Amino acid sequence: MARHLLALSDFSGPELAALIDRAIKMKRESRAGVRHRDLAGRTIALVFEKPSTRTRVSFEAAMYGLGGQVIYLSSRDTQLARNEPLKDMARVMARYVDGLVIRTFGQEIVDELARYSQVPVINALTDLHHPCQILSDLMTVIESKGRLEQLKIAWVGDGNNMANSWIQAASRLGFTLTLACPEGYEPDPQILAAARSEAERPITVVRDPAQAVADADVINTDVWASMGQEAEQLHRLQVFRPYQVNERLLAEAAPDAIVLHCLPAHREEEISETVLEGPRSVVWDQAENKMHIHKAILAAFLAGGSQ
């Protein structure tokens, strides 16, 4: 039976760490000129209801870098928009390709595709979870800071899919996580409660961004209005304005703190130009690492097993 990557909570800490270690190793080998051929002769389908530049290109580059092939399907190219049952799509697609990478809105879509698919289904983003992105973020943190267990990581902004996956990562990998979110924009309460019940270190939600980043080793943020929330843009600009990651907020963190942003960034909204382009920013390494973590995920899951 195929194993799927739907949410980080589906995996143990050692399994997640193994994926990150594999990505770091593959990155090092690639830079040394090693050509990976783990998936020669294999094909994945990228099924994207939500368009993306970085996610699409990084998955395509990862698959080609493993010797495989890619079929890209936008929402207009699939039967999702025509209300074909997901179970039918899953069973048919599994006879054409070796894996499905899904970027969509509802988590229930990837869950049902996985229920009926005989090949791995990988969640490239839903409104509830963003597991692959958080794995690449964690890879970047490890490259910059070393062991996760000793770190305090701060999230500043919306309690969105990124925040939910950070919470699940903290419960599995044992770092301290503090999230600063405005009232009414907190992370999913069920995800938060489940993670807290399993976590070794505190997972805290506060209102004050300065409190969240105090002595933090890592500061992470994201756009204030995600895809599908365009109608809320003006209201969110007002609500989240005190949550901008800027030089003043960065001064509250540890002197060697790094700053993450999954991109695209709205400069002078959720993050200032000086921080994004400054010496503490690791966003370009973070963006590159999407490709390396996707390589590790594809190699692990399409070859069978996550180790």
Side-chain angles (χ1 to χ4, degrees):
M1 180 180 293
R3 192 171 190 190
H4 311 290
L5 200 173
L6 308 179
L8 295 183
S9 58
D10 295 335
F11 299 87
S12 68
E15 286 176 323
L16 297 178
L19 279 173
I20 297 169
D21 289 345
R22 186 170 189 166
I24 291 171
K25 180 175 181 286
M26 295 181 92
K27 177 180 180 179
R28 184 170 60 248
E29 290 172 345
S30 293
R31 291 189 169 181
V34 174
R35 297 189 66 184
H36 298 110
R37 312 303 293 171
D38 306 55
L39 298 181
R42 304 286 187 95
T43 302
I44 61 166
L46 303 183
V47 183
F48 279 30
E49 281 198 288
K50 283 188 173 184
S52 169
T53 301
R54 277 156 294 277
T55 303
R56 175 181 175 177
V57 174
S58 58
F59 263 112
E60 289 194 0
M63 190 62 177
Y64 290 133
L66 292 165
Q69 301 294 317
V70 178
I71 300 170
Y72 177 78
L73 299 168
S74 68
S75 57
R76 67 177 179 272
D77 300 318
T78 73
Q79 297 298 320
L80 289 176
R82 301 178 182 91
N83 297 317
E84 178 185 20
L86 290 170
K87 61 185 179 181
D88 294 0
M89 176 183 168
R91 289 180 289 195
V92 171
M93 292 292 287
R95 297 187 180 215
Y96 297 153
V97 299
D98 300 289
L100 296 170
V101 179
I102 313 296
R103 183 179 168 93
T104 188
F105 292 90
Q107 180 69 23
E108 68 278 2
I109 293 174
V110 295
D111 289 345
E112 185 165 356
L113 288 171
R115 191 172 303 119
Y116 290 96
S117 176
Q118 295 301 306
V119 299
V121 173
I122 295 168
N123 179 0
L125 175 142
T126 65
D127 290 343
L128 191 62
H129 297 291
H130 204 350
C132 296
Q133 178 65 57
I134 301 315
L135 288 173
S136 67
D137 295 353
L138 290 165
M139 175 182 172
T140 309
V141 172
I142 290 169
E143 287 181 329
S144 299
K145 294 291 185 182
R147 292 177 61 85
L148 292 171
E149 297 90 339
Q150 308 303 319
L151 300 179
K152 177 185 177 182
I153 296 178
W155 173 266
V156 179
D158 192 14
N160 59 13
N161 52 1
M162 290 279 290
N164 291 336
S165 289
W166 269 107
I167 288 167
Q168 292 186 336
S171 75
R172 291 292 185 263
L173 294 167
F175 54 86
T176 299
L177 178 66
T178 305
L179 305 98
C181 305
E183 185 176 0
Y185 296 89
E186 298 88 352
D188 182 275
Q190 292 181 320
I191 290 174
L192 181 61
R196 281 174 166 167
S197 71
E198 300 172 350
E200 296 179 5
R201 290 179 173 81
I203 301 173
T204 308
V205 179
V206 299
R207 296 279 177 251
D208 183 4
Q211 179 184 351
V213 306
D215 301 318
D217 304 290
V218 180
I219 300 173
N220 201 349
T221 191
D222 191 11
V223 296
W224 292 339
S226 299
M227 196 175 301
Q229 297 173 333
E230 289 80 6
E232 304 174 33
Q233 176 77 23
L234 292 178
H235 177 67
R236 282 173 171 263
L237 284 175
Q238 297 303 315
V239 171
F240 284 95
R241 198 168 300 282
Y243 291 79
Q244 184 185 85
V245 176
N246 49 36
E247 296 284 359
R248 184 176 64 255
L249 188 65
L250 190 55
E252 302 292 333
D256 59 348
I258 59 172
V259 176
L260 301 175
H261 191 306
C262 65
L263 300 177
H266 296 165
R267 289 164 164 83
E268 304 308 328
E269 289 186 14
E270 74 275 0
I271 191 168
S272 68
E273 174 83 11
T274 55
V275 170
L276 185 68
E277 299 288 355
R280 307 275 199 93
S281 170
V282 294
V283 299
W284 317 117
D285 295 329
Q286 181 185 2
E288 177 190 345
N289 284 341
K290 284 173 69 75
M291 177 182 65
H292 299 296
I293 201 72
H294 292 165
K295 234 179 166 180
I297 289 167
L298 291 170
F301 283 79
L302 271 63
S306 61
Q307 296 292 337

